[in-house]
Amino acid sequence: MKIIPFKLERFFAQYEFNVPYLLCCSDCESLTVQELLELEPGAQEQLQRLWLGYTESTGHPELRQEIARLYARISPEQVLVHAGAEEAIFNFMNVMLERGDHVIVHDPCYQSLRDVAAAIGCEVTKWTGQEQDRWELDLEFLRRQIKRNTRAIIMNCPHNPTGYLMDLQKFQQVIQLARERNLLLFSDEVYRGLEYNQDDQLPAACDLYENAVSLGVMSKTYGLAGLRIGWIATQNQEIYASMAGFKDYTSICSSAPSELLATIALRHRDHLVQQNRAIIMNNLHQLNNFFYTHHDLFDWIAPEAGPIAFPRLKTDQDIEAFCLDIARKKGVLLLPGNYYDFGNKHFRIGFGRKNMPEALEHFEEYLQEM
C-alpha cells in the first residue's frame, strides 16, 4: 500500500513537545501510574507481580470483559483489543474494503478515516457537516450518495474536530439506511461518555446494528493516551475474525502492563469520566466567554460533547501562519484546519486539560498585542 503522509501527526511530531501550552489537544487530563494504581487497593502489587510475557492477541479476558460492560449487547468475545484506535481503523479498512469500493465518510475527519480507504483504491465521498447549521449532517445527501458499489459509511460522533453530536432519531435513521442497503457502518465513538448532557448519549452502533463496528480507546474520554489501548466491538463474526487475523501482521498483541492498567482504569471509569467532564465544563465556560469577547475575530459554534471545537478565523490571515505565529510568540499551539483538508480559516482548540485557562491567558495576550 502506498499512502500519503499523515499530515496531522507530522504536525504534532514537529511542535507538540516543543511548546509549553497545547491548546489543541484532543484528549483529556491524564494520570500518573501512581494515581491510577491508587484508585484500587492491591493494584500496585498486582502490577509488580505481572508476568511480562506475550498477551492474548485478542486482548486479556479481564480487559475485554470490562470493555464489554460499556455496551448493551456485546460480549467479551465480540471485543478485539488493538494498539490504540489507529491500528483498529487501519485493520478494519484493510480487511473489509477493496479497490473499487465506495465509502462515505463523515467530514471533516481524522485523516485515517478517509485516507486509508483512498490508499486501498476506494472511491471516497465526503459527508460534510454544515457549519451554518451547527455542523449538522444532511441525511438526504447521504441517501443520494449511496451507489451500487457503496460498501461502508464511516461516521464519528461525538465528532472530531467540531464537537457535533447527532440526535438519536437521525442516528437511528442512518442505521436503518445502512441495514436496508446491507452497508457496513464503522462508528468512531472515541469520545462517547463526554456528552455535556448525559441524556444525549447515543447508543453504541454495535448494539443497534449487526453490521456495525464501534471504535473505542483509552486515550480520549479517559485521558490515558500513553497506554496505547483501543478496541473494536461488533456483533459481526466475519468482521471480527478477519480483523483478528489481520492483526497478526500489525501489533499481534498489546503490552501486558498497558492491558492491566487499562483494566484497572475501566473498573473506575465513572470516576475518570466525571473528573474529565468537570474539567471540560469549567474550561468550556471560559471559552464561551473568550469567543464572545472576540466575536469580531472568530466565529464560535459551541460544541455539544467532547474536549475539542473548531472555530473559524474571520480575518484574511492564513490559518497556519496565524497558529504558528502564536506558537512562536506565546508558546501556545493551535491546530490549523488545513490539516483536516478543510480550508485555511478554521482551527482546532482543545480544552480537556487542567492548564487550559493558563494557555488561554497567553492566547489573550497575543490577541491584545496583535
Side-chain angles (χ1 to χ4, degrees):
M1 175 191 292
K2 299 290 186 181
I3 192 166
I4 64 174
F6 204 131
K7 295 187 296 183
L8 181 150
E9 296 300 340
R10 291 299 88 211
F11 177 86
F12 278 121
Q14 184 174 358
Y15 295 105
E16 181 176 6
F17 298 101
N18 296 311
V19 296
Y21 301 108
L22 292 179
L23 194 51
C24 58
C25 49
S26 62
D27 56 357
C28 291
E29 186 73 19
S30 197
L31 302 176
T32 65
V33 173
Q34 180 179 348
E35 289 170 331
L36 180 56
L37 294 175
E38 287 174 350
L39 294 176
E40 186 170 300
Q44 182 171 348
E45 292 76 14
Q46 189 178 2
L47 179 62
Q48 291 173 338
R49 294 194 305 268
L50 181 66
W51 182 65
L52 294 178
Y54 288 118
T55 63
E56 295 188 31
S57 61
T58 54
H60 194 285
E62 289 186 17
L63 174 57
R64 285 186 286 145
Q65 185 176 52
E66 290 302 325
I67 293 170
R69 297 183 198 279
L70 301 171
Y71 305 101
R73 299 183 60 190
I74 294 296
S75 68
E77 293 73 28
Q78 294 170 317
V79 171
L80 181 61
V81 176
H82 288 80
E86 180 59 50
E87 183 191 24
I89 295 168
F90 185 82
N91 288 1
F92 170 82
M93 302 284 182
N94 274 279
V95 301
M96 299 313 299
L97 302 179
E98 296 181 2
R99 178 176 295 275
D101 284 344
H102 175 236
V103 297
I104 301 170
V105 182
H106 186 174
D107 176 71
C109 67
Y110 189 61
Q111 185 176 331
S112 60
L113 292 174
R114 178 192 64 233
D115 284 351
V116 176
I120 291 168
C122 295
E123 177 189 354
V124 177
T125 295
K126 294 181 180 180
W127 185 23
T128 305
Q130 302 303 301
E131 183 177 13
Q132 70 276 12
D133 194 21
R134 303 188 61 80
W135 300 109
E136 190 59 71
L137 289 165
D138 184 346
L139 193 60
E140 288 308 310
F141 175 89
L142 174 66
R143 195 184 307 274
R144 291 194 304 269
Q145 297 307 310
I146 295 175
K147 305 187 290 189
R148 294 180 62 181
N149 64 329
T150 302
R151 177 65 168 150
I153 300 169
I154 315 296
M155 63 179 295
N156 170 213
C157 275
H159 185 239
N160 173 1
T162 67
Y164 162 75
L165 181 61
M166 183 178 284
D167 66 50
L168 178 58
Q169 182 180 10
K170 180 169 285 188
F171 186 56
Q172 291 172 328
Q173 290 174 321
V174 172
I175 288 175
Q176 183 58 33
L177 184 59
R179 179 177 282 119
E180 290 171 357
R181 308 297 180 90
N182 195 32
L183 303 178
L184 300 176
L185 177 62
F186 188 84
S187 180
D188 180 343
E189 300 167 4
V190 298
Y191 291 107
R192 189 165 179 260
L194 290 181
E195 299 81 6
Y196 306 153
N197 183 345
Q198 295 181 56
D199 293 337
D200 292 337
Q201 183 178 107
L202 294 173
C206 62
D207 283 328
L208 299 184
Y209 179 39
E210 59 278 6
N211 290 328
V213 175
S214 290
L215 175 70
V217 76
M218 296 303 300
S219 306
K220 308 303 184 184
T221 299
Y222 307 105
L224 298 173
L227 295 183
R228 305 309 303 138
I229 294 292
W231 62 85
I232 60 97
T234 183
Q235 298 181 47
N236 187 307
Q237 184 56 36
E238 178 186 353
I239 297 174
Y240 186 98
S242 296
M243 291 186 67
F246 191 85
K247 187 170 176 276
D248 293 338
Y249 286 98
T250 52
S251 66
I252 303 178
C253 64
S254 300
S255 155
S258 288
E259 288 199 338
L260 174 60
L261 293 171
T263 303
I264 293 169
L266 287 174
R267 284 202 286 260
H268 300 275
R269 56 187 171 272
D270 290 344
H271 169 77
L272 297 179
V273 171
Q274 290 172 11
Q275 181 173 276
N276 283 330
R277 189 185 291 118
I279 294 170
I280 287 169
M281 297 311 295
N282 176 69
N283 288 344
L284 181 59
H285 175 72
Q286 296 189 47
L287 281 178
N288 284 332
N289 290 336
F290 174 87
F291 283 107
Y292 177 79
T293 300
H294 297 289
H295 64 272
D296 56 327
L297 289 175
F298 307 105
D299 281 327
W300 168 247
I301 299 174
E304 301 168 285
I308 51 177
F310 206 46
R312 184 173 70 88
L313 180 66
K314 289 183 176 181
T315 70
D316 293 335
Q317 191 171 3
D318 174 81
I319 193 61
E320 185 161 9
F322 176 78
C323 293
L324 294 183
D325 195 47
I326 299 171
R328 283 192 297 267
K329 293 179 178 177
K330 294 296 177 181
V332 175
L333 191 64
L334 299 167
L335 178 63
N338 52 291
Y339 287 90
Y340 284 92
D341 287 335
F342 201 79
N344 65 344
K345 288 301 173 187
H346 293 79
F347 60 95
R348 188 178 81 186
I349 193 164
F351 49 95
R353 297 187 182 180
K354 290 180 179 178
N355 72 341
M356 199 255 3
E358 186 178 357
L360 197 62
E361 288 180 9
H362 289 274
F363 191 9
E364 175 69 38
E365 288 176 7
Y366 174 84
L367 296 179
Q368 295 299 330
E369 293 170 8
M370 184 180 74

